[in-house]
Amino acid sequence: RRPVSTTPLQALNLMNSPFAIEQAGFIAERAKTEASGNQEQATRRLFEIVLGRGPNEDELNASLEVAQEAGLELVSRSLINSNEFAFLP
């Protein structure tokens, strides 16, 4: 069992590490390819790949807005940095 620790440095490291950025890019590219370039379908696929579930309506709308402004890679990085991804129930 992993001991519980939550520090801002852990989140900053995960969000900004070259490895995490590279992996987020690979995952975003996979989602784009599997969705044949459709932004909404790519966003939905990204949630399925990273979190094992589809996004709810609010998550989808917010993610689409971020993807349009900053790219799907940032959405991917955000999901990788989420508590839902980092911690098993």
Side-chain angles (χ1 to χ4, degrees):
R1 179 170 160 96
R2 181 178 180 263
V4 175
S5 65
T6 53
T7 68
L9 293 178
Q10 286 175 323
L12 287 172
N13 181 49
L14 183 58
M15 190 69 171
N16 296 308
S17 79
F19 178 77
I21 292 169
E22 180 182 48
Q23 295 307 305
F26 290 149
I27 295 167
E29 197 57 43
R30 175 182 166 192
K32 289 178 198 174
T33 300
E34 291 178 5
S36 301
N38 180 296
Q39 186 80 344
E40 181 175 334
Q41 290 303 317
T43 303
R44 289 179 184 279
R45 185 67 186 122
L46 187 62
F47 270 79
E48 292 168 358
I49 293 167
V50 176
L51 301 180
R53 65 168 180 84
N56 66 36
E57 187 176 334
D58 290 337
E59 291 170 331
L60 179 61
N61 292 334
S63 297
L64 284 171
E65 186 176 323
V66 170
Q68 289 172 347
E69 292 178 13
L72 196 60
E73 292 78 9
L74 184 58
V75 177
S76 181
R77 283 174 61 195
S78 298
L79 292 177
I80 289 171
N81 202 43
S82 70
N83 279 341
E84 187 173 347
F85 178 76
F87 298 100
L88 296 175

